[in-house]
Amino acid sequence: MHLPSFIARRYLFSKAHRNVINIISIVSAVAIGIGCMALIIILSVYNGFDNLVESAYNSYIPDYVIEPAKGKTIFLSDEGVKAAVKELQEGLAVESGGRDAGSAVCIYPVLEETVYVQYDVVQSIARIKGVPSGYDSLKRLQDNIVDGDFELSFGDLPRAVVEEGLAISLMLRPQFSTPLEIYLPSRTEDISLIMPQSSLLSRDIRPSGIIQLSSTDDKGIIYVPVDIARELMEYGEKECTKIEVFVENGADANGGVSEFKGSRKAKAAVSKARKALGESCVLKDRYQQNETVYKMMRAEKFAIYMILLFVVAIISVNLLSSLSMLIIEKKEDIGTYRAMGMNDSTIRKTFLLHGWLVCISGALVGIIVGLILCWIQHRWGVIPLPGNFLVNSYPIEVKLTDVLLALVSVAAVGFVMAYIPTRSIREG
């Protein structure tokens, strides 16, 4: 039998008498439990919101993007680019279920440029995105259409898909017959001071649909056929501004933006593609495409965790005071322990274990209650989310890492608060 832990449990659970020290200890345990419960609930809510944001971003963005490291264009005839595309095509196709499933990996060279647009009498600055045939068949993009269809051609006639915010500002609807006018200055001709309009390239195109995009980088975007974009931007057939890679069966080297998991084959393919590109281009995964957003979400979660942990530390001061009072009250017991041959180190360990047991018991109860409340919210959505949002109630996702982090952090704080008063036990 471990004597210090036996005595500590006796002090904690003894029913011989209840005095103010026992009441303070109970209050300390309850307060620590409430702090742990708040940690679990709030961190789980943040996880839920993070998942909502990630799902909104990941619902349409490509799994990988190849962008030029310098300049604006990528040459598809470049040997490094061709080797990288081949590695991604074969490596991710294996991840999708074998080389025969390569059609699940869709690789599209696209052209992007900032343009001036006019719809009826309304003007705005926008960004065209020229995409090749087959791009409009991607399910993840079709699922984000809020009006009309994601169609880039109607027979031989080109069509455009407009981002929702831009469509609202232009008062544009796919059902209207008014064409969207796109203007872009020529790259090859000098601007005429007498007739500036003569150096503008223009094209009229009718919208077929309106798409909802969550990323701020995609606000004001217009999807058009790549031939239209190439004509306006005056690029050759082997030039593009970036290459987008979609894995329709969900196979990617990360296995999720924030988890950084995946098969060795997919990771090897991405690694080989990066080496093939060298310094001329960069290969970005979904996390790197929206790195600022994800870093901000993690920083917010870390900040709220530190604030709540600081609150728990303040609450734990009650534990320090109750343990100090217990040591004063048990002076006779301490003398008895010494007479029995117990040294000061063992006595200090006894009271340290007592204080730590108060902290741990409160933390465990708080975590259990927090998990139960999280399950209730996840199951029934008891607390509604005000305003017009993607979900009707506060989203919840409990992560084991958060539970362990809360338990370890509170246990560490409780250990420090219990250790401070035990230093007063000296030879007397």
Side-chain angles (χ1 to χ4, degrees):
M1 179 183 296
H2 191 255
L3 185 60
S5 61
F6 173 77
I7 299 174
R9 290 196 303 271
R10 290 285 296 175
Y11 283 153
L12 182 63
F13 300 110
S14 176
K15 298 182 180 179
H17 61 282
R18 295 294 182 189
N19 54 23
V20 67
I21 299 175
N22 299 98
I23 295 174
I24 294 175
S25 297
I26 294 173
V27 171
S28 300
V30 171
I32 291 172
I34 293 174
C36 280
M37 180 186 69
L39 263 175
I40 295 298
I41 294 175
I42 294 179
L43 292 180
S44 298
V45 170
Y46 262 85
N47 292 335
F49 278 115
D50 287 352
N51 280 346
L52 280 180
V53 173
E54 288 184 8
S55 62
Y57 277 90
N58 295 341
S59 62
Y60 66 91
I61 68 171
D63 297 281
Y64 299 97
V65 169
I66 298 176
E67 296 179 348
K70 295 180 181 179
K72 296 181 63 175
T73 59
I74 298 174
F75 291 92
L76 298 176
S77 57
D78 183 80
E79 293 299 327
V81 174
K82 290 195 293 185
V85 170
K86 182 179 179 181
E87 290 292 346
L88 292 174
Q89 182 78 49
E90 295 181 354
L92 299 179
V94 172
E95 186 70 5
S96 302
R99 296 186 182 275
D100 294 334
S103 59
V105 181
C106 304
I107 299 178
Y108 300 107
V110 302
L111 291 167
E112 288 191 16
E113 187 58 88
T114 302
V115 296
Y116 170 82
V117 296
Q118 180 172 330
Y119 186 75
D120 199 6
V121 295
V122 185
Q123 302 91 25
S124 180
I125 300 297
R127 188 157 52 94
I128 60 169
K129 184 171 184 177
V131 296
S133 60
Y135 197 94
D136 52 359
S137 63
L138 290 170
K139 186 176 184 302
R140 65 177 72 181
L141 290 170
Q142 293 176 349
D143 291 342
N144 283 273
I145 290 292
V146 294
D147 192 6
D149 300 299
F150 198 105
E151 294 180 350
L152 298 178
S153 64
F154 182 74
D156 294 333
L157 300 177
R159 289 287 185 265
V161 177
V162 185
E163 186 269 326
E164 185 181 27
L166 178 62
I168 292 173
S169 65
L170 294 174
M171 294 182 287
L172 176 149
R173 292 292 300 275
Q175 294 80 10
F176 298 163
S177 59
T178 305
L180 180 67
E181 302 173 38
I182 304 175
Y183 297 91
L184 183 65
S186 174
R187 293 194 312 117
T188 58
E189 297 182 7
D190 296 331
I191 297 177
S192 173
L193 297 179
I194 299 175
M195 296 185 63
Q197 293 181 348
S198 63
S199 59
L200 289 178
L201 300 175
S202 65
R203 187 65 187 261
D204 294 350
I205 188 169
R206 297 185 185 278
S208 65
I210 298 175
I211 188 169
Q212 185 181 55
L213 304 176
S214 304
S215 174
T216 55
D217 295 336
D218 293 325
K219 297 299 181 183
I221 200 167
I222 303 172
Y223 292 93
V224 299
V226 69
D227 293 337
I228 301 296
R230 186 175 291 117
E231 177 185 332
L232 290 171
M233 299 168 64
E234 299 178 300
Y235 281 138
E237 293 186 0
K238 295 297 182 179
E239 291 180 276
C240 65
T241 56
K242 64 180 180 180
I243 301 173
E244 297 184 348
V245 181
F246 293 87
V247 188
E248 284 290 81
N249 287 353
D252 66 85
N254 286 346
V257 171
S258 60
E259 297 298 328
F260 294 100
K261 297 178 182 177
S263 75
R264 293 181 179 179
K265 291 181 180 179
K267 287 183 177 180
V270 173
S271 178
K272 290 179 181 179
R274 288 196 170 109
K275 289 180 180 179
L277 290 171
E279 298 181 357
S280 61
C281 298
V282 292
L283 175 62
K284 295 182 179 180
D285 56 23
R286 286 179 295 182
Y287 177 87
Q288 292 167 332
Q289 292 175 59
N290 295 284
E291 193 170 1
T292 302
V293 174
Y294 296 118
K295 283 185 176 179
M296 181 183 66
M297 291 190 299
R298 291 181 178 180
E300 289 177 348
K301 183 178 177 181
F302 177 75
I304 197 66
Y305 162 75
M306 292 303 297
I307 292 172
L308 291 174
L309 186 61
F310 181 71
V311 172
V312 171
I314 294 175
I315 293 172
S316 300
V317 174
N318 292 326
L319 178 63
L320 187 151
S321 60
S322 66
L323 191 57
S324 299
M325 295 172 65
L326 180 66
I327 292 173
I328 295 173
E329 184 192 35
K330 300 298 182 181
K331 276 190 174 180
E332 293 184 1
D333 290 0
I334 293 173
T336 303
Y337 298 150
R338 285 172 177 157
M340 295 171 60
M342 188 181 294
N343 57 36
D344 285 346
S345 176
T346 306
I347 296 173
R348 282 194 292 269
K349 186 182 295 184
T350 300
F351 286 96
L352 175 63
L353 284 172
H354 169 77
W356 204 45
L357 283 174
V358 173
C359 176
I360 292 297
S361 59
L364 288 174
V365 172
I367 288 174
I368 293 172
V369 174
L371 291 175
I372 293 174
L373 294 177
C374 287
W375 178 78
I376 293 174
Q377 176 66 18
H378 179 74
R379 179 68 176 81
W380 288 288
V382 177
I383 303 177
L385 187 64
N388 186 14
F389 204 66
L390 297 174
V391 291
N392 297 323
S393 59
Y394 280 94
I396 292 286
E397 183 187 356
V398 178
K399 292 185 177 180
L400 179 61
T401 53
D402 290 338
V403 176
L404 296 177
L405 181 63
L407 181 60
V408 171
S409 301
V410 174
V413 170
F415 181 85
V416 172
M417 292 300 176
Y419 175 76
I420 293 174
T422 59
R423 295 185 302 171
S424 62
I425 300 176
R426 297 288 187 270
E427 291 286 351

